[in-house]
Amino acid sequence: MTDTGSGAPSSEGLATLARLLHLARRARDVGSAAELGFIAVNETRDLVPYRQAVLWEEGRGAVALSGVVSPEANAPYLLWLKRTLHALAESAPAGIPTATRLFEAADLPADEATEWADWLPPHALWLPFDAAGCRGGWLLARDDAWSEAEVALLSEWIALWAQAWALRHVDMPQTHWRAMLGKLLAWRPRRQDFIALRSRLETLRERETWRQLGRWLWTTRRGRIVLGVAAVLLFPVRLSVLAPGQLVPADPAVIRSPMDGIVDHVLVQPNQHVKAGDALLEFDRITLTSRLEVARQGLATAETEYRQFAQQAVTDSKSKGQMAALQGRIEEKRAEAAYLDALNQRSMLTAPRDGIALIDEPAEWAGRPVTAGERIMMVADEHAAEIEAWLAPADMIELPEAASVTIYLNTRPLSPVDGRVRYAAHEAQVQPEGGYAYRLRAALAPGETAPRIGLKGSVKVSGHFVPLVYWVLRKPLAAARAFVGL
């Protein structure tokens, strides 16, 4: 803080002091550690300008980021910060673990320095703290160099903030438990650990502890309870998942548009029984008929000219030379007329097999333009159906060959239909309702009578046998793994 010529503090210095006192009061009055972290990385900008800020805590990593509500544990930026800030904390001067330091990319190990430009501005400031045994620090980065006055102001502010942080940790001991859990999950066994474990097991064997343990399990009430609970938890059950599904036709004949055109009218109704050769749909033939008539007239004109030149070629050698060009023109017109005639004949779509016509509202197809290859309807055997299910990525389990599948239809929930898995997609696809899922097809079991195609319900897919404890804890363990980030 500067002063004026009269010895009184300047207005700018008083304003900075006021902002510092305001932030200190805010830090004392917060209700949670998350709010305190938000103040550290976002509201510190009221004192000193910067572009990025990180609150790092030993054992937890990046606790808060400026401009981010909830950091993702496995983001590449956070993984790089974890390595970089751990290296900064370990390289603190001897005897001064809370020393403020200015650093750049050249002050980091080579692996972290190469990625500096991808994540941070060139000038960074490290403000470590040690509050009630909880070590951490702030990382502030910007494009301009830091002045001594700014460093001194921030050092004073983090000292005030660290006192409030220590109080929050005393009030909420679960933070320390989380740090202990992180250290436990990061533990990796070493050769010395296995040697010590083997020594302990040999000691237990010498003292016949296992025999005493077995006697306790069989003869005491608590031991029998432990055995009973272990038996229940290890009881084998079949792992299964539920997914939405429906009955779809098996090996249907797909009717696609043979050309670009406009649908004139549909000749069948949904679920109507048809036989092979029955007319299904007709395209608008006005344009095709006109083009075919023009092509035929062009062919007739080319043939007439050819006959005239053939007669003149008897006496005129020049006419004889033009006959080859006229012959090529005739072939071109004949090919065009044949092509348009074939399109005109294909403008009427017929059923390739016996079955039922599966189509949406026919009235919506009238007058609709379609492109070549576009699917219009299907003709399927009403007695040949299979089960289709969409498994969410979180529900995809390892399936045995020909895994058992059961569909409980919404129209008949007490009469399930069984099947065997025929096909399971190897990667997630976009399902009709939106979102990604794995498609699964199952053929109906022998003897099953297929209800009406198109009925929907819930599909139960059965996998391998697993212990009951795994069946119960599979989803919680997956959620915990996603939260911890391992």
Side-chain angles (χ1 to χ4, degrees):
M1 186 170 19
T2 60
D3 53 26
T4 61
S6 60
S10 65
S11 59
E12 180 181 355
L14 289 175
T16 302
L17 179 59
R19 290 194 295 269
L20 177 61
L21 294 176
H22 173 71
L23 288 177
R25 186 182 303 109
R26 289 265 294 130
R28 290 195 304 268
D29 297 339
V30 295
S32 64
E35 186 178 355
L36 191 58
F38 178 86
I39 292 175
V41 298
N42 292 287
E43 297 189 17
T44 302
R45 192 176 281 110
D46 294 342
L47 291 178
V48 174
Y50 55 85
R51 193 204 298 179
Q52 292 175 242
V54 181
L55 169 59
W56 178 81
E57 184 181 347
E58 186 177 13
R60 295 179 60 191
V63 179
L65 301 176
S66 57
V68 177
V69 177
S70 178
E72 295 186 9
N74 293 326
Y77 176 47
L78 290 186
L79 295 177
W80 179 81
L81 278 178
K82 181 179 179 181
R83 301 191 304 268
T84 302
L85 299 182
H86 180 74
L88 280 175
E90 293 296 329
S91 61
I96 315 177
T98 58
T100 301
R101 282 182 289 165
L102 298 171
F103 68 99
E104 299 178 353
D107 301 325
L108 296 178
D111 295 339
E112 284 70 30
T114 55
E115 301 182 31
W116 176 285
D118 297 334
W119 306 116
L120 292 178
H123 300 282
L125 176 64
W126 173 241
L127 298 160
F129 64 85
D130 189 349
C134 178
R135 296 178 56 194
W138 296 356
L139 172 66
L140 306 179
R142 67 183 189 184
D143 296 315
D144 301 329
W146 298 90
S147 65
E148 294 183 2
E150 291 174 330
V151 173
L153 179 62
L154 290 173
S155 299
E156 186 65 27
W157 162 224
I158 194 172
L160 296 172
W161 179 90
Q163 296 177 4
W165 185 257
L167 292 176
R168 296 280 82 76
H169 277 250
V170 171
D171 295 337
M172 295 180 295
Q174 64 268 26
T175 304
H176 299 290
W177 283 105
R178 185 177 296 179
M180 293 175 61
L181 179 60
K183 293 180 181 179
L184 179 61
L185 294 176
W187 175 79
R188 295 293 183 270
R190 298 170 299 175
R191 184 171 180 272
Q192 294 83 351
D193 298 327
F194 287 109
I195 295 176
L197 178 61
R198 180 180 178 183
S199 176
R200 292 178 183 177
L201 291 178
E202 290 178 353
T203 303
L204 291 175
R205 189 186 312 165
E206 292 175 358
R207 298 179 181 178
E208 298 185 352
T209 305
W210 295 111
R211 184 179 301 175
Q212 295 175 7
L213 177 61
R215 188 180 302 112
W216 177 79
L217 290 174
W218 286 106
T219 59
T220 63
R221 181 173 178 271
R222 292 185 178 180
R224 288 193 292 269
I225 293 176
V226 171
L227 282 178
V229 172
V232 171
L233 294 179
L234 297 178
F235 185 79
V237 295
R238 188 179 290 277
L239 184 62
S240 61
V241 293
L242 295 177
Q246 63 178 344
L247 289 174
V248 296
D251 192 22
V254 181
I255 308 301
R256 300 184 182 275
S257 173
M259 59 184 177
D260 296 340
I262 299 176
V263 177
D264 189 7
H265 56 278
V266 180
L267 304 176
V268 294
Q269 296 298 320
N271 299 326
Q272 177 180 335
H273 290 268
V274 296
K275 294 184 178 180
D278 289 351
L280 301 176
L281 179 143
E282 185 177 6
F283 286 90
D284 185 3
R285 299 187 180 185
I286 296 178
T287 303
L288 278 176
T289 303
S290 300
R291 291 175 58 190
L292 178 60
E293 186 64 25
V294 171
R296 287 174 176 172
Q297 290 295 334
L299 175 62
T301 301
E303 290 177 345
T304 301
E305 292 180 357
Y306 178 80
R307 287 193 296 269
Q308 292 176 356
F309 276 91
Q311 293 176 358
Q312 296 176 6
V314 177
T315 59
D316 188 4
S317 59
K318 182 182 297 184
S319 299
K320 186 176 182 180
Q322 294 180 354
M323 291 181 62
L326 290 174
Q327 183 66 32
R329 183 180 177 187
I330 290 174
E331 295 298 329
E332 178 184 353
K333 294 294 184 179
R334 183 176 290 116
E336 182 180 359
Y339 170 71
L340 292 174
D341 185 54
L343 284 182
N344 191 42
Q345 295 178 4
R346 287 157 56 187
S347 61
M348 177 74 73
L349 299 183
T350 58
R353 53 181 286 188
D354 297 347
I356 59 174
L358 302 177
I359 187 175
D360 295 335
E361 178 60 36
E364 295 182 358
W365 282 97
R368 179 188 296 184
V370 294
T371 58
E374 181 178 348
R375 190 176 77 171
I376 301 176
M377 69 176 72
M378 293 188 298
V379 176
D381 186 355
E382 60 180 329
H383 301 294
E386 62 182 7
I387 302 170
E388 181 183 66
W390 293 90
L391 293 179
D395 292 331
M396 191 61 183
I397 59 176
E398 184 177 355
L399 299 175
E401 186 176 357
S404 175
V405 173
T406 303
I407 182 171
Y408 298 88
L409 298 172
N410 297 331
T411 57
R412 39 185 290 188
L414 300 181
S415 301
V417 179
D418 296 326
R420 296 287 179 180
V421 173
R422 179 181 64 83
Y423 160 76
H426 66 280
E427 64 179 357
Q429 308 172 19
V430 179
Q431 56 182 332
E433 292 78 10
Y436 283 87
Y438 292 90
R439 177 186 296 208
L440 183 145
R441 288 291 185 95
L444 299 185
E448 286 285 356
T449 301
R452 186 175 68 84
I453 293 174
L455 295 180
K456 296 187 176 183
S458 299
V459 177
K460 178 182 178 182
V461 184
S462 301
H464 295 285
F465 280 96
V466 295
L468 177 62
V469 62
Y470 177 81
W471 183 84
V472 173
L473 297 179
R474 185 177 70 90
K475 287 292 186 69
L477 287 175
R481 177 189 174 278
F483 175 77
V484 176
L486 295 179

